[in-house]
Amino acid sequence: MQVLVYSTHPYDQKYLKVANQGKHELKFTPATLDEHTTGLAQGVPVVCCFVDDTLDAAVLQKLADGGIKLVALRCTGFNNVDLETAERLGVTVMRVTRYSPYSVAEFAVGLMLSLNRKIHRAFNRVREDNFLLDGLLGFDLHGKTVGVVGTGKIGFVLAGIMKGFGCALLGYDVYRNQACVDLGLRYVELNDLLAQSDIVSLHAPLMPATHHMINADTISHMKRGVMLINTSRGGLVDTKALIEALKEGQMGAVGMDVYEEEGHMYYHDLSNHVIADDVFARLLTFPNVIVTGHQAFFTQEALTMISETTIENISDFAAGRSNNNILRPEQAISPTTKEKE
Ligand code: NAD
């Protein structure tokens, strides 16, 4: 099938071409999909999209008018897609569920270690021949309590790594994952998890029920000086409330690979531009905040699996085969038991 791959970077091309092996006719564009770039897909039956491409009702309508039959997401999150409109227009949406959960979980741990031991600050100090340790004091992870919000594939891997550090594990999810219980994770209500955890790591999908689940109220339940790690989706956190909590010292450290307004910034070189987003700019001023540009998935293994699954999805669609990666509108509202299998 002819496929237009939006938001393409050199690494996407490389891994998709290897996975494709000539099966489909892939065309690549660096353009992000939004209402101004739908025309690029005119007459093409498949678009392949990533996390910051816009697939709202207006964009889907234009794509459908141009002949799109399939949206092949090369990511697991699908909060950027209006699934109801897609179904109404007869556009199938598929995503990647088989990819490396280790990529994201390991990155979350990297943020924890960097924030705790101030490695980001130490790196800069030593480069300026400043070998003082003041301000670099951390704590042992051993014996601390880690709260895992969303105990699916990534949350499970994270829980296993943190168990290896000797941490106690608390979990919150709408479903219990027996594999997590077997690791020693104890399920509690969200507010109890927040009240008891020294580190909270977010791994739930973004949907109406989880939007701003970390807000002024829930932050007030957290331990003073808590560390928050968000490698899931920016919309899980009310960033303005987070900034207030950082200013007051309620929030001790924040590692965020995702940001609720990342869409127009991430995956672009804006170093010659002025960042107009004052909330984002304020975040960058805190010494105890590390912001990265949605890179937690970015390992060779994850790119290989993402590309292979994307090509398999397109091949299944072309052959009229159904598979578990087809998204249904009800999944935008709540996770299904099917997803848990
Ligand atoms: P998953 O579906 O295996 O796990 C998600 C878990 O969240 C499930 O157990 C689900 O029951 C739970 N959940 C759903 N609603 C909830 C709620 N209201 N409260 C608490 N938990 C809830 O998904 P996964 O593969 O572990 O990925 C998790 C998220 O990580 C994805 O949705 C995606 O947004 C994000 N992600 C980020 C990156 C990155 O590069 N930063 C890469 C991949 C995935």
Side-chain angles (χ1 to χ4, degrees), residues 76 99 152-154 173 203 205 210 231-233 257 297 335 340:
T76 184
Y99 68 99
K153 291 182 285 296
I154 296 171
D173 199 307
H203 302 288
T210 58
T231 55
S232 192
R233 284 292 180 268
D257 187 46
F297 72 97
K340 300 299 298 171

Side-chain angles (χ1 to χ4, degrees), residues 50-51 75-79 95 97 99-101 103-104 107 149-156 172-175 177 202-207 209-210 213 230-233 236 257-258 267 294-298 333-336 339-340:
F50 198 50
V51 291
C75 52
T76 184
F78 49 89
N79 50 285
R95 66 163 169 158
T97 47
Y99 68 99
S100 165
S103 62
V104 183
F107 191 84
V149 178
T151 56
K153 291 182 285 296
I154 296 171
F156 167 68
Y172 170 73
D173 199 307
V174 287
Y175 294 107
N177 181 346
L202 305 179
H203 302 288
L206 176 59
M207 48 182 60
T210 58
M213 72 193 302
N230 186 7
T231 55
S232 192
R233 284 292 180 268
L236 297 181
D257 187 46
V258 286
Y267 306 122
H294 208 143
Q295 68 170 91
F297 72 97
F298 200 54
I333 299 158
S334 67
T336 60
E339 277 187 287
K340 300 299 298 171

